[in-house]
Amino acid sequence: QVQLVESGGGLVQAGGSLRLSCVASGINFSGRGMGWHRQAPGKQRELVAAIGIGGGTNYADSVKGRFTISGDSAKNTVYLQMNSLRFEDTAVYYCNAGRRLIGGTGYSPSDYWGQGTQVTVSS
């Protein structure tokens, strides 16, 4: 049984910061990348940030320089530090335990999703 439990969402004023956490159980990070995605009302779910098997990261252009993804394999936890938040960052944020990759060191999303945590940024 795979379970991803997210926390850290909430209401914050523009310019503020939040840190999201996602703790995984029933699965380990070996051979997997991890990612954060978000979905705003009326919008497609989009990739925000990902950390690959080798520790490399990538970000959506809209969050570069403001968000940082990190992982702690010993704790089976992935984090998303969000700084300088903007109104347009308002969305439900989901974590994903990526596909197990035989080759490669990147990230590819799987069907393992967290329940989502709401981030609301007031203008």
Side-chain angles (χ1 to χ4, degrees), residues 13-57:
Q13 294 187 69
S17 298
L18 287 172
R19 189 181 75 159
L20 307 183
S21 300
C22 177
V23 181
S25 61
I27 193 171
N28 62 64
F29 289 171
S30 179
R32 303 178 185 272
M34 296 289 290
W36 285 96
H37 302 242
R38 69 185 180 188
Q39 188 164 20
K43 304 291 185 181
Q44 296 276 354
R45 187 174 299 188
E46 64 175 344
L47 176 67
V48 176
I51 183 166
I53 295 168
T57 58

Side-chain angles (χ1 to χ4, degrees), residues 46-111:
E46 64 175 344
L47 176 67
V48 176
I51 183 166
I53 295 168
T57 58
N58 66 82
Y59 300 90
D61 288 342
S62 60
V63 307
K64 285 181 178 177
R66 300 188 297 119
F67 290 11
T68 303
I69 187 171
S70 61
D72 187 336
S73 59
K75 297 180 179 179
N76 260 26
T77 301
V78 63
Y79 305 95
L80 185 67
Q81 178 66 47
M82 304 185 293
N83 298 325
S84 301
L85 283 161
R86 304 167 181 168
F87 176 77
E88 53 264 40
D89 294 319
T90 296
V92 178
Y93 285 70
Y94 301 88
C95 64
N96 183 278
R99 296 179 184 271
R100 180 171 292 170
L101 302 177
I102 297 173
T105 58
Y107 165 76
S108 181
S110 73
D111 291 330

